[in-house]
Amino acid sequence: MCGDGHKAVEASTNYDYLVQSTDPEHPANLIPEMCRKFYNWGWVTGTGGGTSIRHGDHIFLAPSGVQKELIKSDNIFVIQWPTKKYPAEDRNYIRKPLALKPSACTPLFLTAFEQGAGCCIHTHSQWAVLVTLLVEREMGSDACFEISHIEQIKGIPRGKGKGYLDYHDTLRVPIIENTPYEEDLTEGLEAAMNKYPDTYAVLVRRHGIYVWGDNPAKAKTQCESLDYIFQLAVEMHKLGLPWIKK
Ligand SMILES: CSCCC(=O)C(=O)COP(=O)(O)O
Ligand SMILES: [Zn+2]
């Protein structure tokens, strides 16, 4: 057996306890549970999308290219935090399930954790994709998504430690262009975070969205609020209703 294979066997043998817990809130139980919900909501169908949780100095990650609704705790990867983002071989994986690859979204999830997030969700929601196309056609490829005077925007934070948006505020979500490989989105995500330091989400044109939060519950509810708003925005557009109330 080659050196790498030997290391993987050792890692999976020694660190299984990291993904074994009877606590439903443990990341190794929560990621499969969240992915099942996200699949049923059309967010992670056809293996796309995923989620990752930071718990203390461990990052828990779903595997790549698998049916996300079928993930088991035993399939979860664990990285020791902090870790290098690149190259992938230099990341501090301490648990690598055999025959599985870590999510291609890993460097993007790590970027969210660098910002202090406790959980990052990537969806391929059709509402998110449609909004990126509408913004491009109506406002141009440099524009971000903007909407105001919708009750649900109160579910989105104003920025770290700044509370939540009010009904009269304008929600802005930056949009980055898609790349042929998921990993290559990282540069665009970092640039969008620098340009919009208060954002908790970045849309990816023709692809989906990355949403993060201080913890799994906040990431999930923020992602739900955004998805509700994107669906509403698409329907408003069909009715000729403006997204910004004058
Ligand atoms: C049909 S999925 C294409 C790849 C992608 O966009 C994605 O989100 C997959 O992520 P994974 O965690 O499965 O590597
Ligand atoms: Zn994706």
Side-chain angles (χ1 to χ4, degrees):
M1 185 181 284
C2 70
D4 275 345
H6 182 65
K7 261 199 282 182
V9 170
E10 263 182 14
S12 116
T13 308
N14 294 338
Y15 291 97
D16 283 353
Y17 75 92
L18 288 175
V19 297
Q20 291 167 349
S21 169
T22 53
D23 178 1
E25 298 298 313
H26 186 281
N29 296 327
L30 207 46
I31 289 175
E33 171 66 15
M34 288 169 86
C35 284
R36 271 193 295 278
K37 288 199 168 98
F38 298 165
Y39 173 81
N40 288 323
W41 300 341
W43 288 4
V44 299
T45 52
T47 80
T51 194
S52 178
I53 294 173
R54 184 171 77 79
H55 186 71
D57 55 3
H58 291 145
I59 305 291
F60 293 81
L61 272 178
S64 180
V66 302
Q67 297 178 73
K68 297 295 188 319
E69 73 280 16
L70 301 183
I71 292 170
K72 305 273 180 287
S73 306
D74 190 48
N75 305 143
I76 300 293
F77 287 75
V78 185
I79 302 179
Q80 182 76 33
W81 179 259
T83 183
K84 269 193 183 170
K85 240 188 284 185
Y86 292 112
E89 309 77 68
D90 285 358
R91 291 182 202 138
N92 298 332
Y93 286 100
I94 51 176
R95 185 173 193 274
K96 275 186 166 183
L98 292 175
L100 291 174
K101 285 194 302 180
S103 171
C105 315
T106 301
L108 292 108
F109 293 148
L110 294 176
T111 301
F113 298 136
E114 282 172 356
Q115 299 291 311
C119 176
C120 185
I121 297 167
H122 171 46
T123 89
H124 285 193
S125 159
Q126 292 190 9
W127 302 116
V129 174
L130 281 170
V131 152
T132 68
L133 296 172
L134 281 176
V135 169
E136 183 178 40
R137 193 182 68 187
E138 304 296 323
M139 275 83 84
S141 55
D142 290 335
C144 62
F145 170 76
E146 290 185 328
I147 197 163
S148 72
H149 296 83
I150 296 295
E151 182 69 9
Q152 197 75 27
I153 70 174
K154 288 156 79 174
I156 307 299
R158 244 180 233 285
K160 193 120 189 122
K162 297 182 185 173
Y164 285 78
L165 292 174
D166 285 330
Y167 171 67
H168 292 98
D169 288 330
T170 297
L171 165 70
R172 291 189 179 81
V173 184
I175 304 174
I176 61 171
E177 298 305 325
N178 199 25
T179 54
Y181 299 102
E182 190 93 25
E183 295 92 335
D184 298 335
L185 290 169
T186 314
E187 217 176 290
L189 186 77
E190 288 168 349
M193 285 172 162
N194 287 334
K195 191 167 173 194
Y196 297 86
D198 287 333
T199 196
Y200 275 84
V202 173
L203 284 156
V204 185
R205 187 120 43 223
R206 296 176 179 271
H207 182 154
I209 191 166
Y210 280 84
V211 181
W212 54 95
D214 299 343
N215 56 48
K218 286 186 180 177
K220 175 173 165 287
T221 54
Q222 286 159 204
C223 203
E224 286 167 13
S225 290
L226 286 169
D227 206 58
Y228 167 101
I229 291 164
F230 296 148
Q231 178 172 8
L232 187 72
V234 171
E235 297 299 337
M236 286 170 79
H237 185 81
K238 284 201 263 182
L239 295 169
L241 298 168
W243 292 344
I244 299 288
K245 188 165 174 280
K246 301 279 183 240

